[in-house]
Amino acid sequence: MPERSDTAATLTHQAARLGESDPARARELLGAALANDYDYEPAWRWLAELVTDDGERRFCLDRAYAIKVDAATARARKALAAVPSTPPAEVADLIDPPPPATATAVPGRPRKTRWVAVGVAVAVLLSVLGMWAASGDERGEPVHVALVAGMTGDNAVAASQMERAVRMHLDTVNAEGGVHGHPVELLVYDDEDTVAAAVGIAQRIVRENKVMYVIGHAGSDTTLAAAPIYQRARIPAITPSAGASMITDGSDWYFRSMFGDRTQSDFLSVYISRVLGSATAAVVHEEDEDGRSGRETFLESFGEFGRVTADLPIAMGPGAHAASVQAAVTELGTHDPREPILLAVKKKSGLELIEGLRSAGVTAPIVGVSALSSRAFHASLVDAERKRSLPGSLTGDLFMGTPMAHDSLSGTAQVWADAYERRYGERPQWQAATARQAVNVGLHAMRAGGLDFGEDHLGQDRERVRDTMASLKDKKNSFPALLGPLYFTANGSAQMAVSVVTSDGARFVSAPTQFTIHEPLTEEALRADVADGNVIAVKNRYLSRRQVVATGININEIRELDTAAGTYFVDFFVWLKYTGDHVAADVQFVNAVRPDLTLGEPLRDVTKNGHTYRLYRVADRFKSALEFRDFPFDRQRLTVLLQNRTQTADQVSYVTDKEILDQDPRVYLRSGADATADINQVPNWVASSVRFYRQTVGSSDALGDGQATGTTTGIHYSQYAGEVELKRDTLPFLIKNLLPLVLLIGVTFLCLFFKPDDDRGAVSMGVTAILSTAVLLNNVTSQLPSVSYIVALEWGYYSFILLAGICVLITMVRKRLAVTKRDHAEQVLSRTARIGYPVYLLAVVAWFALVYA
C-alpha cells in the first residue's frame, strides 16, 4: 500500500512508471492519488489511459476536462461522446451519492416559463459563441513536441524550469493560433538523468511516432545515449543544456540552443590568460561526459596560452566521491595561490570543492563552467556562508561562464524574465532561457519549412524542420531568439558568446571585462587587429575584448507629455561604473529631441584602483513612438536611450548596475531628487512601472567603414534604456467624454417607444443621434496624432452609430407592418427591439470590460 504521506504527484509518477508492466497496480496507485487530491488532473488523465472500459474512460476524461480545459482531453472526450459515463472502481467511493428524488414541479405561469426559456437560449448561444471564439484558432490537428529532461534527477530544478519556460511559450503560441492553425502540444518525458532511462525514453518516442522534434536531453551522458536513436529515426533534436562536443559533431540531426564546451573553453581560456593574467591553470573535472568534455576542450584551448599544472578527476561513485574531492583540495593547496582553478563539475561537486578549497585557505581565483553559473548555485553558496557566519568567504573570486547574465538582459529577454517571475514566483535560470530558445527555433523551422502537417507526411516534415534549422548558418540568416541572434556552427552548436559572471555577494553579475566573437571584414584587417592585441586568436576562433559598463538611471521627474508630437520632458541622474578607457563615458542620447544632447560634465568623477565611477544629471526633452490602438485605455512607454558615440557593441556594452538590481522596483517610481515625490508629473496619467535594460541595435552593413570592428554583418551598438510606463487615468476621461454619448443613447432608446405612425419623429431622432455621435467622436480623437488605424474608443462610437442606424431601420419596418395591418408582427418587433437595445449595449460594455479591464 502507498504511504499516507505520499503526495498525489508522487503516486502518479509511480503509477506512470508501472503503466505498462503492472497496470492493475498502477490503477490502484492512481486511486490513492485521487483520494489524496481529488482535483489532481494528471492522475485523472493517467487513469483514463489505463482503464479498459470506454464508460470509465469517459468518466475520467470528463473529470480531467472539468479541472483543466485541454485540447487533447477535449478531443478524447469527443470520441467517446456516445458512451455513458461510469466511474472506475478505484474512485467509486470518492463519488458523491445521488440526491433524493424531488417532487415534480407545479406548472407555473406560461409567460415566466417562456422568458426563462428565452434567457436559457440566450445563455446557450453566448456560450456556444464563446467556445467557438476560444477554439477558433485550433482548426488543425495538433503538432507534438517532446521535452526530455531529468524531472526527478539530480538536476530536477533546472529541468522544471525548462518545462515551465516551454509551456509558457507554447501557451502564448497556441493563444495566437498555433503554427499555421495547428495547436502545439507538449509531451514531457522524465529520463531521470540516467542513461538507461534516456535510451528507453528515446525508443518510446520513436515507437510512438508523434513528435515533430525533441527538446533535450539535459545532460551530455543522456543526450549521447539517445542521439543515435533519434538519428536512425530521422527525428530532429535540440538540447538546451548538454555541452559535450560529440553530441552535435556526430549527428546532423542534433542541434544545441546554447554554446558547446569547445566554445566555452575557448572563452574561459582567454579570460584566464588575458584578464586574470595567468600562464598556468589547474583543472578539476567530474568523470562523466560533461566533465570529460569540459576538461578535454579546456586542455586544447588553454594550450594556446600556457600549461595546465594539475588535472584532477572527481569520481562519480558514492564511495570514491568524497575521497576524490578531498584529494583535489589537498593537491591544490600546494599550488601557487594566484593560479586559477577551472571547475568542470556540476552543482553538488562545485559546492563541495569551493567549500573545501576556501576552508583549506586556498584563495586562488575559481573559474567555473555554465553548470555553476545559476542563481540556485549562488544561493547555495550564500546559504553555506550564512551557516559558517563568514559572508563573502565562498563567493569571492568566482568567475563563471554562462549563456545568460541577468544584469545584461535585452529588452525582450527582460520582459520575458519578468513575465516568468510573475507566473511562477521565481526568476528564471539560464536553462529556462535556452529551453525557450530551443522550442522557439523549432517553431520557426515549422513555420518556415513549408510543412504539410499530416500524419502521412511526418517524416518529410521532420526533414524540412531539420533543413530549416541547418540553414541558420550565419548572423545574416539567424533567428532573432531570446538571448540574441541564434544561428548554428557547421556542427550544429549555437554560435554565441560566453558571458563571464562574478559574485557581488548577493548574485552573479557581469564581470567588467568580457569577450565576444570577432568576425573580421578582411584577412588584412584581422592580421592588424591581432598584431595590435585588439583581437585574440584561440584555435580556429577570434575573440575581441569588450568593456562592460555598469549603468544606472534614477528618474527625478517626467512631465510635459505631448501625445500629438510624441515628446516629453525627463529629468534624471545617470551613473557609469567601468574599468579601463574613459571612452565608455562618451555617450549620446539617441532619442533626444536635440540630437547633440550629451552627458555634459559629471557631478562626481572618482577613479580608484582602475575602477571609475561617474555621476551625471540630465534634463531635456525626449521622443518615442507612441501607440494609440487601445486609446483611451492605452499605456505609453516613455524611454531614455543612451549609446556610445564611437564604440560598437563588440567594444562597449552597457548593463544594469547592481545598485539597481538591489532595489525594490517600486522605488523606481519615487523621485531621485526627492524621495517623497512621485516621478510622474503628467496630468491625467499614472506611472505604473519603470524598468531598465540593454539592447543592441545597428545597421545591416558596414556603412562604408572598412575599419569598424566586426563589420561582416554590419555595425551594431549597445544601448541602455530607462523606460517609464504611463497608463491613462481612464475614469475621469470617460466621464468627461462619454457623458454626452450616454445622453444620446438614452434619447435614441426613446424612439423605440414611438407609435408606428409617428415614424418621422423617430427617424429624425435616429439620424440626429448618428450625426451628433460623429461630431462627438471627432472632438474626442482630435487630441490624437494622425494615425492610420482605428483606436479602441472609435469602436465604441461605431457600435452606437450602428445601433442608431438599426433603430431607424426598425422604425421604418414597424411603420410598414402597421400600414399592412400586421399588428401582431409589429408588436413582436417592437418588444424585441426594446429588449435587444439594452442587451446590445451591455454586450458592447462587457466586451470592452473583458478586453481592457
PDB file of all heavy atoms in Angstrom, residues 481-497:
ATOM      1  N   ALA A 481      16.364  35.194 -31.531  1.00  0.00           N
ATOM      2  CA  ALA A 481      15.989  34.448 -30.332  1.00  0.00           C
ATOM      3  C   ALA A 481      16.080  35.326 -29.085  1.00  0.00           C
ATOM      4  O   ALA A 481      16.440  36.506 -29.149  1.00  0.00           O
ATOM      5  CB  ALA A 481      16.882  33.217 -30.191  1.00  0.00           C
ATOM      6  N   LEU A 482      15.775  34.713 -27.945  1.00  0.00           N
ATOM      7  CA  LEU A 482      15.672  35.449 -26.686  1.00  0.00           C
ATOM      8  C   LEU A 482      16.998  36.089 -26.279  1.00  0.00           C
ATOM      9  O   LEU A 482      17.033  37.239 -25.826  1.00  0.00           O
ATOM     10  CB  LEU A 482      15.189  34.489 -25.591  1.00  0.00           C
ATOM     11  CG  LEU A 482      14.775  35.109 -24.263  1.00  0.00           C
ATOM     12  CD1 LEU A 482      13.506  35.919 -24.422  1.00  0.00           C
ATOM     13  CD2 LEU A 482      14.572  34.014 -23.223  1.00  0.00           C
ATOM     14  N   LEU A 483      18.101  35.364 -26.432  1.00  0.00           N
ATOM     15  CA  LEU A 483      19.405  35.839 -25.967  1.00  0.00           C
ATOM     16  C   LEU A 483      20.245  36.442 -27.080  1.00  0.00           C
ATOM     17  O   LEU A 483      21.441  36.643 -26.920  1.00  0.00           O
ATOM     18  CB  LEU A 483      20.173  34.685 -25.310  1.00  0.00           C
ATOM     19  CG  LEU A 483      19.472  34.025 -24.123  1.00  0.00           C
ATOM     20  CD1 LEU A 483      20.310  32.879 -23.565  1.00  0.00           C
ATOM     21  CD2 LEU A 483      19.171  35.049 -23.021  1.00  0.00           C
ATOM     22  N   GLY A 484      19.611  36.731 -28.212  1.00  0.00           N
ATOM     23  CA  GLY A 484      20.321  37.339 -29.325  1.00  0.00           C
ATOM     24  C   GLY A 484      20.143  36.513 -30.590  1.00  0.00           C
ATOM     25  O   GLY A 484      19.467  35.482 -30.592  1.00  0.00           O
ATOM     26  N   PRO A 485      20.741  36.947 -31.699  1.00  0.00           N
ATOM     27  CA  PRO A 485      20.595  36.206 -32.958  1.00  0.00           C
ATOM     28  C   PRO A 485      21.086  34.765 -32.793  1.00  0.00           C
ATOM     29  O   PRO A 485      22.202  34.532 -32.336  1.00  0.00           O
ATOM     30  CB  PRO A 485      21.484  36.988 -33.930  1.00  0.00           C
ATOM     31  CG  PRO A 485      21.626  38.350 -33.322  1.00  0.00           C
ATOM     32  CD  PRO A 485      21.576  38.154 -31.846  1.00  0.00           C
ATOM     33  N   LEU A 486      20.232  33.804 -33.150  1.00  0.00           N
ATOM     34  CA  LEU A 486      20.569  32.392 -32.988  1.00  0.00           C
ATOM     35  C   LEU A 486      20.879  31.781 -34.346  1.00  0.00           C
ATOM     36  O   LEU A 486      20.045  31.784 -35.250  1.00  0.00           O
ATOM     37  CB  LEU A 486      19.411  31.640 -32.334  1.00  0.00           C
ATOM     38  CG  LEU A 486      19.623  30.137 -32.104  1.00  0.00           C
ATOM     39  CD1 LEU A 486      20.788  29.906 -31.165  1.00  0.00           C
ATOM     40  CD2 LEU A 486      18.364  29.491 -31.568  1.00  0.00           C
ATOM     41  N   TYR A 487      22.107  31.281 -34.487  1.00  0.00           N
ATOM     42  CA  TYR A 487      22.483  30.548 -35.672  1.00  0.00           C
ATOM     43  C   TYR A 487      23.508  29.502 -35.259  1.00  0.00           C
ATOM     44  O   TYR A 487      24.107  29.578 -34.178  1.00  0.00           O
ATOM     45  CB  TYR A 487      23.024  31.469 -36.765  1.00  0.00           C
ATOM     46  CG  TYR A 487      24.220  32.312 -36.387  1.00  0.00           C
ATOM     47  CD1 TYR A 487      25.495  31.986 -36.833  1.00  0.00           C
ATOM     48  CD2 TYR A 487      24.075  33.450 -35.598  1.00  0.00           C
ATOM     49  CE1 TYR A 487      26.595  32.757 -36.509  1.00  0.00           C
ATOM     50  CE2 TYR A 487      25.165  34.233 -35.262  1.00  0.00           C
ATOM     51  CZ  TYR A 487      26.419  33.884 -35.708  1.00  0.00           C
ATOM     52  OH  TYR A 487      27.509  34.654 -35.375  1.00  0.00           O
ATOM     53  N   PHE A 488      23.682  28.494 -36.100  1.00  0.00           N
ATOM     54  CA  PHE A 488      24.459  27.326 -35.715  1.00  0.00           C
ATOM     55  C   PHE A 488      25.783  27.267 -36.459  1.00  0.00           C
ATOM     56  O   PHE A 488      25.891  27.680 -37.617  1.00  0.00           O
ATOM     57  CB  PHE A 488      23.662  26.047 -35.994  1.00  0.00           C
ATOM     58  CG  PHE A 488      22.359  25.985 -35.251  1.00  0.00           C
ATOM     59  CD1 PHE A 488      21.158  26.158 -35.912  1.00  0.00           C
ATOM     60  CD2 PHE A 488      22.336  25.756 -33.888  1.00  0.00           C
ATOM     61  CE1 PHE A 488      19.953  26.099 -35.238  1.00  0.00           C
ATOM     62  CE2 PHE A 488      21.134  25.697 -33.196  1.00  0.00           C
ATOM     63  CZ  PHE A 488      19.942  25.868 -33.865  1.00  0.00           C
ATOM     64  N   THR A 489      26.786  26.710 -35.785  1.00  0.00           N
ATOM     65  CA  THR A 489      28.056  26.420 -36.439  1.00  0.00           C
ATOM     66  C   THR A 489      27.863  25.239 -37.383  1.00  0.00           C
ATOM     67  O   THR A 489      26.806  24.612 -37.432  1.00  0.00           O
ATOM     68  CB  THR A 489      29.125  26.077 -35.395  1.00  0.00           C
ATOM     69  OG1 THR A 489      28.702  24.926 -34.658  1.00  0.00           O
ATOM     70  CG2 THR A 489      29.321  27.238 -34.420  1.00  0.00           C
ATOM     71  N   ALA A 490      28.906  24.907 -38.115  1.00  0.00           N
ATOM     72  CA  ALA A 490      28.801  23.812 -39.076  1.00  0.00           C
ATOM     73  C   ALA A 490      28.451  22.497 -38.402  1.00  0.00           C
ATOM     74  O   ALA A 490      27.847  21.610 -39.007  1.00  0.00           O
ATOM     75  CB  ALA A 490      30.112  23.676 -39.851  1.00  0.00           C
ATOM     76  N   ASN A 491      28.803  22.337 -37.107  1.00  0.00           N
ATOM     77  CA  ASN A 491      28.499  21.093 -36.419  1.00  0.00           C
ATOM     78  C   ASN A 491      27.241  21.182 -35.551  1.00  0.00           C
ATOM     79  O   ASN A 491      26.987  20.317 -34.713  1.00  0.00           O
ATOM     80  CB  ASN A 491      29.689  20.638 -35.563  1.00  0.00           C
ATOM     81  CG  ASN A 491      30.049  21.671 -34.504  1.00  0.00           C
ATOM     82  OD1 ASN A 491      29.369  22.675 -34.324  1.00  0.00           O
ATOM     83  ND2 ASN A 491      31.144  21.433 -33.810  1.00  0.00           N
ATOM     84  N   GLY A 492      26.418  22.240 -35.743  1.00  0.00           N
ATOM     85  CA  GLY A 492      25.102  22.287 -35.110  1.00  0.00           C
ATOM     86  C   GLY A 492      25.022  22.924 -33.744  1.00  0.00           C
ATOM     87  O   GLY A 492      23.972  22.875 -33.101  1.00  0.00           O
ATOM     88  N   SER A 493      26.089  23.536 -33.267  1.00  0.00           N
ATOM     89  CA  SER A 493      26.068  24.192 -31.959  1.00  0.00           C
ATOM     90  C   SER A 493      25.816  25.686 -32.141  1.00  0.00           C
ATOM     91  O   SER A 493      26.307  26.285 -33.095  1.00  0.00           O
ATOM     92  CB  SER A 493      27.409  23.981 -31.248  1.00  0.00           C
ATOM     93  OG  SER A 493      27.359  24.464 -29.926  1.00  0.00           O
ATOM     94  N   ALA A 494      25.043  26.273 -31.242  1.00  0.00           N
ATOM     95  CA  ALA A 494      24.718  27.697 -31.366  1.00  0.00           C
ATOM     96  C   ALA A 494      25.980  28.540 -31.292  1.00  0.00           C
ATOM     97  O   ALA A 494      26.838  28.329 -30.441  1.00  0.00           O
ATOM     98  CB  ALA A 494      23.747  28.117 -30.269  1.00  0.00           C
ATOM     99  N   GLN A 495      26.079  29.473 -32.221  1.00  0.00           N
ATOM    100  CA  GLN A 495      27.218  30.387 -32.256  1.00  0.00           C
ATOM    101  C   GLN A 495      26.869  31.594 -31.393  1.00  0.00           C
ATOM    102  O   GLN A 495      26.161  32.495 -31.815  1.00  0.00           O
ATOM    103  CB  GLN A 495      27.499  30.816 -33.697  1.00  0.00           C
ATOM    104  CG  GLN A 495      28.672  31.760 -33.854  1.00  0.00           C
ATOM    105  CD  GLN A 495      30.006  31.047 -33.812  1.00  0.00           C
ATOM    106  OE1 GLN A 495      30.309  30.354 -32.864  1.00  0.00           O
ATOM    107  NE2 GLN A 495      30.818  31.233 -34.839  1.00  0.00           N
ATOM    108  N   MET A 496      27.352  31.599 -30.155  1.00  0.00           N
ATOM    109  CA  MET A 496      27.053  32.704 -29.245  1.00  0.00           C
ATOM    110  C   MET A 496      28.209  32.887 -28.278  1.00  0.00           C
ATOM    111  O   MET A 496      28.976  31.961 -28.012  1.00  0.00           O
ATOM    112  CB  MET A 496      25.751  32.441 -28.482  1.00  0.00           C
ATOM    113  CG  MET A 496      25.754  31.185 -27.645  1.00  0.00           C
ATOM    114  SD  MET A 496      24.136  30.760 -26.924  1.00  0.00           S
ATOM    115  CE  MET A 496      23.845  32.166 -25.860  1.00  0.00           C
ATOM    116  N   ALA A 497      28.344  34.103 -27.787  1.00  0.00           N
ATOM    117  CA  ALA A 497      29.423  34.428 -26.862  1.00  0.00           C
ATOM    118  C   ALA A 497      29.141  33.843 -25.486  1.00  0.00           C
ATOM    119  O   ALA A 497      27.998  33.601 -25.106  1.00  0.00           O
ATOM    120  CB  ALA A 497      29.600  35.939 -26.774  1.00  0.00           C
TER     121      ALA A 497
END
